[in-house]
Amino acid sequence: MALKPEPTAPFHSVQYALRVLETVSKHGDGVTGTQISRETGLPIGHLTSLLLTLRREGYVEQVTDGAYVIGASLLLIGSGPARRQALESKLQQTLAQLRDSVGAAVYISRYVDGEIRVTQYADGPLTPAVNEWVDFRSAAHASAVGKCLLAQLDQNGRRDHISRHKTPRLTSRTITNEKVLFSKLDSQPATVPVLDLQEYAVGTVCAAVPLTAGSSAGCLALSLPIEDAHRLRSAADTLNRRAAPVLLSLAL
């Protein structure tokens, strides 16, 4: 399975963030924004916004003289057996903050070994998770998560998936024709959230944005009950804007 070579805006932001973190790590006593800009080649305007995000996520801290040092979140990650647990804990914290920000249950899903897997999610009493009435692994053609992941695969990868998982009609809005489905996936802009308007389940709308980390396809998604459908577009836009910190956690 191969991914389509179409990096998204969050991907670029993460690449820049990793360069900034590498620079800050080299300067144990702290480094100014001007010096970071000089060493990374990032314009100071873009860097200021990026440093604000890194500070909010706890990856860098600003000391009394205005210089930047490595933050507590990055120190906690460290290395060894505790690394995975620390990363998952940090990612869950980020998801919970995102859930509260968009007012919806949020999910991280990956395409692993030819299957869709929801690896982490954050919901709550006011933001319930979607009712998985049909296994997500068998509903890629209907769910925002599935369509977002399939959109990141090449044609052979998509055909392989559909050959193993058919496209049954789950609601009156479900796309069951392979040609129509692939055409919609091809016309989906990489920077625009993928939507599910009651295609997977009556009474639920969803949105997903790609999170491509390493060699596997991934996505960040949200779900809302149909009575909150009027908030879907704005929530999806917020999800898209806030994808970078999630992708950064996956990339570390």
Side-chain angles (χ1 to χ4, degrees), residues 193-206:
V194 178
L195 302 182
D196 160 16
L197 304 177
Q198 301 190 90
E199 296 169 53
Y200 171 74
V202 174
T204 301
V205 293
C206 305

Side-chain angles (χ1 to χ4, degrees), residues 23-45:
T23 301
V24 175
S25 298
K26 290 190 302 183
H27 297 272
D29 296 328
V31 57
T32 65
T34 301
Q35 183 66 23
I36 297 173
S37 177
R38 186 179 302 117
E39 293 189 23
T40 61
L42 296 176
I44 194 68

Side-chain angles (χ1 to χ4, degrees), residues 141-180:
H141 64 297
S143 67
V145 161
K147 289 186 293 180
C148 189
L149 292 175
L150 289 180
Q152 296 174 61
L153 306 185
D154 61 14
Q155 289 291 331
N156 290 334
R158 293 176 190 170
R159 290 195 181 97
D160 172 71
H161 185 90
I162 296 301
S163 71
R164 292 180 290 106
H165 298 284
K166 304 307 179 184
T167 56
R169 187 175 301 281
L170 305 182
T171 77
S172 62
R173 294 173 176 265
T174 306
I175 298 173
T176 59
N177 183 282
E178 179 181 317
K179 184 176 181 180
V180 174

